[in-house]
Amino acid sequence: MSSLETIERLLKDQAGRPPIEKWQPALSGEIDIQILADGRWVHEGGEIKRHELVKLFASILRCEADGHYYLVTPVEKWRLQVEDLPLLIVDMEVGESTSEGRRIAVKTNVDTWHELGPQHRLSVTESPDSGEPRPAVSLEHGLSARVNRACFYRLVDLAEQHGDRLIVRSAGEQFELGRV
């Protein structure tokens, strides 16, 4: 199977997601859940180790205009704490296409796939302390995912140099990775 066929299958085969954009319950309160910068979910001081449970929680997670993160159901809304970004990009697939150019699909730590492009944009900021790049991908429901180091290096390998900037292209869009 070609990489393009793989990307199409990965994006298409994802199970339906809850319509949390339609759910607007009143705030139920705070829940003692924290998402750490390394992607671990902690409840009442103990790590949630069941991957399927983390995936379930992530499927009802959103970030609202107030900048806070919430777990939402049709009748409840619980605020939780997020150290950095709630999700991580942990893998990627790259395909070539003559009509659209390169396509890049990225996988989160909760097993969802997203194609870099107009709907899922890649952005890179710098850490104020170290100046290191901090790449992220925008997702649905106001969420973003931090790109892990291995995937970022793979993106750098795909990049083209334009002047003093590194640019990677996907789905007809271009994303700046940083300056050389």
Side-chain angles (χ1 to χ4, degrees):
M1 185 181 302
S2 76
S3 293
L4 272 180
E5 290 169 339
T6 301
I7 289 172
E8 290 295 334
R9 182 181 46 78
L10 292 171
L11 294 172
K12 181 180 158 221
D13 289 346
Q14 298 186 94
R17 307 228 11 204
I20 65 172
E21 66 279 355
K22 296 179 182 177
W23 300 342
Q24 302 302 325
L27 180 64
S28 302
E30 302 270 339
I31 190 167
D32 189 6
I33 292 179
Q34 182 179 23
I35 305 173
L36 303 179
D38 64 7
R40 291 180 295 142
W41 290 56
V42 176
H43 177 249
E44 295 180 350
E47 182 180 353
I48 301 172
K49 295 190 182 234
R50 289 184 46 214
H51 185 63
E52 293 301 316
L53 185 56
V54 170
K55 285 172 53 173
L56 174 66
F57 284 148
S59 75
I60 59 169
L61 178 67
R62 73 179 177 210
C63 182
E64 295 189 353
D66 63 3
H68 291 282
Y69 293 88
Y70 300 91
L71 296 175
V72 182
T73 72
V75 296
E76 295 179 302
K77 177 169 129 179
W78 295 94
R79 186 174 22 241
L80 64 140
Q81 299 300 311
V82 175
E83 228 177 39
D84 180 33
L85 296 178
L87 301 172
L88 298 174
I89 299 299
V90 296
D91 198 4
M92 59 186 262
E93 288 285 334
V94 180
E96 297 289 337
S97 167
T98 56
S99 63
E100 297 179 16
R102 176 183 293 138
R103 294 177 68 192
I104 302 171
V106 293
K107 179 184 176 185
T108 67
N109 58 319
V110 292
D111 302 330
T112 57
W113 286 90
H114 308 275
E115 183 176 5
L116 294 183
Q119 291 182 335
H120 303 292
R121 302 198 59 80
L122 172 68
S123 62
V124 181
T125 59
E126 288 185 0
S127 167
D129 299 329
S130 66
E132 297 234 354
R134 297 179 44 85
V137 175
S138 63
L139 307 174
E140 56 279 325
H141 308 301
L143 303 177
S144 292
R146 181 74 56 212
V147 179
N148 75 9
R149 188 176 304 264
C151 289
F152 185 65
Y153 287 158
R154 287 179 66 195
L155 289 168
V156 169
D157 283 343
L158 296 171
E160 305 161 3
Q161 187 170 343
H162 291 272
D164 66 343
R165 301 178 309 142
L166 286 178
I167 303 292
V168 68
R169 298 176 195 280
S170 176
E173 298 286 319
Q174 67 178 27
F175 305 102
E176 183 175 328
L177 300 181
R179 299 201 180 275
V180 178

